[in-house]
Amino acid sequence: MTTSLASSPLAPTYDRSAMTTGIVHMGVGGFHRAHQAMYLDRLMRDGKALDWGICGVGLMPGDARMRDALAGQDHLYSLTLKHPDGHHETTVIGSIHDYRFAPEDRQGVLEVMTAPTTRIVSLTVTEGGYNTDDATGAFRTGSDGARHDAASPHEPTTAFGYIVEALRRRRAEGTAPFTVMSCDNLPGNGKVARTAVVGQARMSDPELADWIEANVSFPNCMVDRITPVTTPADVEQVTAELGVEDAWPVVCEPFTQWVLEDAFPTGRPPLEEVGVQMVDDVVPYELMKLRLLNASHQALAHWGRLLGIEYAHEAAADPEIAAWTRAFLTREARPRLLAVPGIDLDQYVDTLFERFTNAAIADTLARLAFFAPSGMPKFVLPTVRANLEADGPIRLGTAMCAAWSLGVLGTDENGAAIPVVDDLRPFAQAQADGEATGFIGNKEVFGDLADDERFASTYAQELAALREQGAPSPKTHHAGSTPCHAPGGRRHALDGARGGRAQRLQGRLP
């Protein structure tokens, strides 16, 4: 029995006392610790990048829990890869060596951000955390946080307020600006981060905003690793396997990918040495991931929750939901992608379903649905819009929106409660009360799509079909039927007792 993570045989052997902060990361959650911090730990285990230690920053009141968990174990934590065959691969990560809780240590956060040794500020603040309008892409100057940080720029509260104030101080002191690196699932995440930072700066100091636009780099990147929320069972399992308690372990799938634009004027770690793809143009990889993987997650969530399914691997293993999702990818999403150098898209989609059906991960559909208000406008609706412009098919993407609207009402097709994870119920209720565009009339999510006659009429048809016939059933597949792997063939007709659901699905597959 070991007494601490530091004494575990899996702990890092590099000299953590020699680390200095090169990266300040805002939004230290499971994904950051399973991804960016893991890549830095790999470099450090190779005897490199000790000057690129990570100082985490928590901005929200709930982040005090992360501060306390990490502080109690010298900022070490365990990372467990859960393989589909049931075996686990665990290591102890040491690349985070400091953590600051901004609500109680504003000046400490600004000091570390202003230090010349800090050359990158990275972000995982969720897709919805950039305070930009999904429809227009503009920075929301009217939000409470933006207004506060504009009125009191030296006492910031938001990620972008802190970045602006730190850049102001660096400029005044003659220190080169750091690179701002978004690691969130956003189309053009570097561009979105630039919009947020410059927009915040322009509210209080237009000259500083111009300087940021001219001098600060905002590289785009694509990140990928399924990292579910850590459960009490995960904590117990890690304790049993390591022989020591970890206050907040991380579990994830074995697969990981990071495609990063090589635009770091003040330097960066040699990330290419540990598997990061450094490229000139991230956009094709980014669109591939957002419109295939992330869009599939939304499909699994919205269809699966209507049918009372709890986990992503269960939804992905269901033949009808899998067939529907594959059809959406093949018919609607893939034709609107750019060519992706070095990627076989057929193989990529097959790999997605291998990953989705990893039961060891047990990612919940509730977690995936939580991101719908910010994720659907970035993962699914761009495909719908692109097909509207190209006169391509939109039924499957539109049907996903209709399924989402019914799930928001909080009851599945068996009458059981669906955990409501967003604030869109008033729009869904207006739709239920007879307002035709009630749900899609939410401009923040759908923009002007409700004004598009083809989208609105297709949505109305899909919603009516869902109400009358239900979602694809997880119980309709049997030995006499053949699942459709789009664009191959059709599911065989099912008997009348299994009825309209399967027939409805069949009518929408190639």
Side-chain angles (χ1 to χ4, degrees):
M1 174 75 73
T2 57
T3 59
S4 69
L5 287 171
S7 61
S8 166
L10 301 177
T13 57
Y14 49 87
D15 183 4
R16 295 182 73 237
S17 68
M19 292 169 60
T20 56
T21 296
I23 299 172
V24 170
H25 183 82
M26 295 182 161
V28 177
F31 180 78
H32 167 70
R33 294 190 293 148
H35 196 264
Q36 181 183 343
M38 178 276 300
Y39 281 102
L40 267 296
D41 181 77
R42 284 183 179 178
L43 278 173
M44 292 173 181
R45 288 174 183 267
D46 288 341
K48 303 169 183 175
L50 291 180
D51 59 335
W52 290 100
I54 299 170
C55 175
V57 171
L59 297 166
M60 308 298 291
D63 291 332
R65 182 184 167 209
M66 181 65 74
R67 174 200 60 191
D68 296 342
L70 292 176
Q73 48 201 43
D74 195 24
H75 302 97
L76 295 167
Y77 62 93
S78 62
L79 175 64
T80 298
L81 312 187
K82 291 189 170 184
H83 292 264
D85 62 5
H87 88 274
H88 294 170
E89 185 181 349
T90 301
T91 191
V92 176
I93 303 296
S95 55
I96 299 175
H97 74 129
D98 193 8
Y99 188 94
R100 306 296 178 95
F101 181 54
E104 296 178 5
D105 189 16
R106 176 182 289 121
Q107 292 309 313
V109 171
L110 288 170
E111 285 172 10
V112 73
M113 294 178 72
T114 306
T117 53
T118 296
R119 287 153 286 167
I120 296 173
V121 172
S122 54
L123 301 158
T124 46
V125 293
T126 77
E127 294 89 343
Y130 286 76
N131 196 34
T132 56
D133 186 279
D134 287 327
T136 66
F139 184 68
R140 291 191 177 115
T141 57
S143 70
D144 291 342
R147 288 203 307 267
H148 173 278
D149 288 359
S152 304
H154 307 316
E155 298 179 353
T157 58
T158 69
F160 307 108
Y162 272 97
I163 291 171
V164 169
E165 174 61 10
L167 288 171
R168 184 194 66 78
R169 293 186 181 191
R170 292 176 78 106
R171 181 191 183 204
E173 295 168 5
T175 304
F178 46 65
T179 296
V180 179
M181 180 176 68
S182 168
C183 295
D184 281 298
N185 285 319
L186 291 163
N189 51 14
K191 180 180 179 181
V192 175
R194 179 189 295 274
T195 296
V197 172
V198 173
Q200 183 65 64
R202 200 166 296 284
M203 291 179 69
S204 57
D205 189 340
E207 183 182 351
L208 175 61
D210 291 340
W211 180 84
I212 291 172
E213 279 198 299
N215 292 278
V216 179
S217 180
F218 296 83
N220 291 310
C221 79
M222 183 270 267
V223 296
D224 191 4
R225 173 167 256 180
I226 297 172
T227 308
V229 173
T230 302
T231 67
D234 292 325
V235 177
E236 293 176 6
Q237 189 169 54
V238 168
T239 299
E241 292 180 358
L242 291 183
V244 61
E245 184 176 352
D246 182 350
W248 205 331
V250 185
V251 298
C252 64
E253 65 170 335
F255 180 92
T256 183
Q257 187 176 21
W258 191 2
V259 183
L260 180 57
E261 182 182 1
D262 201 353
F264 294 83
T266 54
R268 62 169 176 80
L271 293 166
E272 66 276 12
E273 296 182 16
V274 286
V276 179
Q277 297 168 258
M278 305 301 302
V279 300
D280 294 328
D281 185 8
V282 174
V283 172
Y285 302 91
E286 173 187 84
L287 292 179
M288 173 189 74
K289 192 257 183 173
L290 297 176
R291 298 191 187 183
L292 299 183
L293 183 146
N294 293 113
S296 293
H297 270 162
Q298 292 299 303
L300 299 179
H302 301 313
W303 290 117
R305 278 158 58 87
L306 280 184
L307 296 168
I309 297 175
E310 183 175 2
Y311 292 103
H313 66 270
E314 296 171 336
D318 172 72
E320 287 188 359
I321 294 177
W324 187 95
T325 304
R326 282 181 176 268
F328 168 74
L329 299 182
T330 301
R331 297 181 62 191
E332 299 186 12
R334 278 187 52 181
R336 301 293 161 243
L337 294 179
L338 302 173
V340 189
I343 301 292
D344 181 324
L345 288 178
D346 288 328
Q347 185 178 39
Y348 181 82
V349 170
D350 288 341
T351 300
L352 289 184
F353 278 85
E354 291 173 11
R355 295 167 62 193
F356 293 159
T357 53
N358 182 353
I361 294 299
D363 202 5
T364 65
L365 297 184
R367 187 188 79 88
L368 301 179
F370 174 82
F371 297 104
S374 60
M376 287 288 283
K378 299 173 179 67
F379 308 150
V380 176
L381 297 185
T383 289
V384 173
R385 291 180 184 278
N387 278 310
L388 285 170
E389 292 176 6
D391 198 26
I394 64 167
R395 298 189 75 179
L396 297 171
T398 307
M400 196 193 311
C401 298
W404 175 28
S405 77
L406 295 182
V408 168
L409 290 173
T411 304
D412 69 22
E413 293 197 350
N414 300 313
I418 296 176
V420 177
V421 292
D422 56 44
D423 58 358
L424 300 184
R425 186 183 179 99
F427 296 93
Q429 189 61 54
Q431 175 180 276
D433 292 340
E435 186 177 329
T437 59
F439 192 70
I440 61 174
N442 182 342
K443 296 291 185 181
E444 289 191 3
V445 174
F446 291 94
D448 60 355
L449 275 174
D451 300 325
D452 185 286
E453 182 178 351
R454 184 180 172 212
F455 175 78
S457 63
T458 303
Y459 180 85
Q461 293 167 9
E462 296 302 314
L463 181 64
L466 267 171
R467 286 170 168 166
E468 294 169 6
Q469 301 169 355
S473 169
K475 303 300 183 185
T476 55
H477 184 64
H478 65 101
S481 68
T482 303
C484 169
H485 296 288
R490 291 181 180 269
R491 172 183 298 279
H492 290 177
L494 302 182
D495 59 48
R498 295 181 172 93
R501 290 177 172 178
Q503 292 170 11
R504 179 179 168 277
L505 177 66
Q506 176 183 350
R508 281 148 181 77
L509 293 180

